[in-house]
Amino acid sequence: MNEIVQFVAGNPEAALGILGGALAILLLLVLYLLSAVSSLKSRYNTMMVGAESGTSIEKMLLDHIAETRQVAEENAKLREENARIDALLKTALTRVGVVRFSAFQDMGSDLSYAVAMLDAKNNGVVFSSIFAREDSRTYVKPIEGGQSKYTMTKEEEQAVKDAIASAE
């Protein structure tokens, strides 16, 4: 430390020149840092206030969060509605089987028919209509679990099998 003091005392012009050079370097460094901070501040302001829309990123983020919450609530409502519709569809008659046939040998055109309409649990009804020359008769038999407590014709049984198969 004594050597520096002696150098400064013996060479004040040189010491002043060194200090002036250091001051110039520090001044240039400060100007560079001011320019960098100004550039960052400009970019920050542009980011915080949208150049075209005029809305800040903070407002945009808050709006998106609110919108996301609203979409989540709507999705929950849709899931509930979907579950309600699924439960309702299980009770709807969605399985259908149709068999057309000729009930009598001397009559053509397959005018007689059997129609089975079942729900997801294979419960429902089978309708039969027998056409003859002089009249026609219609029958309805309840179906539970794919079976009827009443005797079914082979056409009615086929209509029930077709209705059950239509779900697969």
Side-chain angles (χ1 to χ4, degrees):
M1 188 72 155
N2 280 340
E3 295 172 357
I4 295 174
V5 171
Q6 287 177 359
F7 174 78
V8 170
N11 298 317
E13 297 87 17
L16 201 57
I18 291 173
L19 288 175
L23 185 63
I25 290 173
L26 289 174
L27 183 62
L28 288 174
L29 184 60
V30 166
L31 290 175
Y32 171 76
L33 290 174
L34 283 174
S35 172
V37 166
S38 175
S39 173
L40 283 174
K41 187 176 180 181
S42 174
R43 289 173 50 197
Y44 173 79
N45 288 336
T46 300
M47 185 174 68
M48 292 310 285
V49 176
E52 294 177 19
S53 64
T55 57
S56 70
I57 285 186
E58 181 182 14
K59 182 172 180 345
M60 285 179 17
L61 287 174
L62 291 174
D63 289 346
H64 285 301
I65 289 170
E67 185 178 346
T68 301
R69 286 185 181 140
Q70 182 181 3
V71 168
E73 289 172 6
E74 288 177 10
N75 279 347
K77 288 178 185 174
L78 287 174
R79 281 189 201 103
E80 289 174 10
E81 182 69 11
N82 210 12
R84 189 185 68 75
I85 290 171
D86 283 345
L88 182 63
L89 277 176
K90 288 180 181 173
T91 63
L93 299 176
T94 56
R95 300 174 180 188
V96 178
V98 177
V99 174
R100 291 181 58 106
F101 59 97
S102 292
F104 303 102
Q105 295 292 345
D106 60 343
M107 290 188 60
S109 300
D110 292 340
L111 295 176
S112 299
Y113 60 86
V115 177
M117 295 188 293
L118 308 175
D119 65 8
K121 295 180 180 177
N122 295 327
N123 298 327
V125 294
V126 63
F127 295 97
S128 299
S129 186
I130 308 294
F131 283 88
R133 289 192 189 278
E134 302 295 322
D135 64 352
S136 65
R137 297 184 186 256
T138 304
Y139 304 93
V140 177
K141 297 175 185 172
I143 305 294
E144 291 183 18
Q147 301 293 321
S148 178
K149 63 182 180 180
Y150 299 98
T151 303
M152 291 194 292
T153 66
K154 66 179 181 176
E155 293 84 8
E156 290 170 332
E157 288 176 352
Q158 186 61 48
V160 169
K161 285 180 186 176
D162 291 350
I164 293 170
S166 72
E168 297 173 358

